[in-house]
Amino acid sequence: VTIKALKEKIREYEQTLKNQAETIALEKEQKLQNDFAEKERKLQETQMSTTSKLEEAEHKVQTLQT
């Protein structure tokens, strides 16, 4: 085994590690984006539900005042 061969092997390992790190980072980023989108969707649902309940309550108040 020569020094040149060892250097090449090290370079290959470094490239493999770099590729694995990039893949993991991309997977984590995708998961974070999906989690954020889900939380945003739930927030919108909650806001719509709250708005609906408020409108219903305002209607009941109006009905009771007349």
Side-chain angles (χ1 to χ4, degrees):
V1 177
T2 64
I3 292 176
K4 183 178 180 182
L6 289 173
K7 285 182 179 180
E8 180 62 24
K9 200 69 161 169
I10 289 171
R11 191 195 66 71
E12 289 173 7
Y13 285 140
E14 287 174 341
Q15 187 63 42
T16 299
L17 284 175
K18 180 182 175 193
N19 291 343
Q20 288 175 344
E22 288 174 353
T23 299
I24 290 170
L26 288 172
E27 289 171 355
K28 296 278 186 188
E29 181 181 12
Q30 185 63 45
K31 184 179 184 326
L32 285 172
Q33 288 176 349
N34 290 344
D35 290 350
F36 179 80
E38 178 66 17
K39 288 180 181 180
E40 193 171 37
R41 184 188 63 77
K42 286 181 179 179
L43 175 62
Q44 288 176 347
E45 285 178 1
T46 301
Q47 288 174 332
M48 289 173 48
S49 174
T50 303
T51 300
S52 176
K53 289 177 183 177
L54 176 61
E55 289 171 352
E56 186 179 325
E58 288 174 341
H59 179 70
K60 285 180 181 179
V61 167
Q62 242 181 2
T63 302
L64 290 173
Q65 287 177 345
T66 56

